[in-house]
Amino acid sequence: GAVVSQHPSWVICKSGTSVKIECRSLDFQATTMFWYRQFPKQSLMLMATSNEGSKATYEQGVEKDKFLINHASLTLSTLTVTSAHPEDSSFYICSLYLQGSLQTQYFGPGTRLLVL
Amino acid sequence: GQQVMQIPQYQHVQEGEDFTTYCNSSTTLSNIQWYKQRPGGHPVFLIQLVKSGEVKKQKRLTFQFGEAKKNSSLHITATQTTDVGTYFCATDSWGKLQFGAGTQVVVTP
């Protein structure tokens, strides 16, 4: 199966700062990756679709200017939380999409963000 | 979009007992996937079901997809402490996963 890494695994930052989270596909080309967010004791919610070489598409209610996604290569997608606030504290998880395979989704280990 | 409702939200199980978690949808699903998320971890893929009435087994786990493709279940027999975690069902639409609320499983020895 595919291996997806995320960096950093943990980040604590002050309110108002920006945080960049990297998601790497280590052994498959990733034309499409997805970003999810999970608040404590809740389910995962899709935030956006990251497309290599084009603009990301965002789910309803997700601010595209706040959550900047860049997918400049076939192995790396980045999510930048701009001007983070305490309500942005969450578990951010990316996934690699392999269409047509028995397992279509491979999740990264996630990044826990705590905004003070 | 398609919504999947999952019950129960919590499941306390004594070690050795069986339990079942259910997913239901008001619309026909093209597929259903099941994931397990350990405390502090990320979702781990368990299985995907696509056929009406499909039943798949993985050791002590049995997955079913309803005949009408509107519901699915995960049944675990002889629960072990390693089964602790939250089990999610999800439906995949061109790569976009819509997750159920999850069933948090606590196992008491």
Side-chain angles (χ1 to χ4, degrees), chain A residues 34 36 38 41-46 49 57 59 91 93 95 97 99 101-105 107-110 112, chain B residues 9-10 33 35 37 39-45 48 56 88 92-102 104:
Chain A
F34 296 96
Y36 293 83
Q38 185 179 35
K41 301 294 184 184
Q42 293 189 24
S43 188
L44 287 85
M45 295 294 292
L46 178 65
T49 304
T57 55
E59 296 301 300
F91 189 40
I93 315 172
S95 76
Y97 177 49
Q99 188 178 9
S101 61
L102 194 62
Q103 179 178 340
T104 57
Q105 303 278 345
F107 284 92
R112 295 197 182 276
Chain B
Q9 188 175 5
Y10 297 101
Q33 299 182 6
Y35 291 82
Q37 185 177 27
H42 63 280
V44 173
F45 176 83
Q48 176 172 260
K56 288 189 177 179
F88 293 97
D92 185 330
S93 177
W94 297 103
K96 296 183 178 184
L97 291 178
Q98 182 142 21
F99 284 85
Q104 183 180 348

Side-chain angles (χ1 to χ4, degrees), chain B residues 45-109:
Chain B
F45 176 83
L46 295 176
I47 209 154
Q48 176 172 260
L49 305 172
V50 297
K51 298 178 182 176
S52 167
E54 190 169 12
V55 178
K56 288 189 177 179
K57 291 190 176 184
Q58 290 179 353
K59 296 183 180 179
R60 295 179 295 103
L61 278 61
T62 301
F63 305 85
Q64 290 188 318
F65 202 8
E67 294 288 343
K69 299 181 74 173
K70 289 185 176 182
N71 57 75
S72 180
S73 65
L74 161 58
H75 181 76
I76 299 183
T77 59
T79 304
Q80 299 176 359
T81 54
T82 53
D83 295 324
V84 164
T86 301
Y87 294 83
F88 293 97
C89 62
T91 185
D92 185 330
S93 177
W94 297 103
K96 296 183 178 184
L97 291 178
Q98 182 142 21
F99 284 85
T103 295
Q104 183 180 348
V105 176
V106 175
V107 180
T108 51

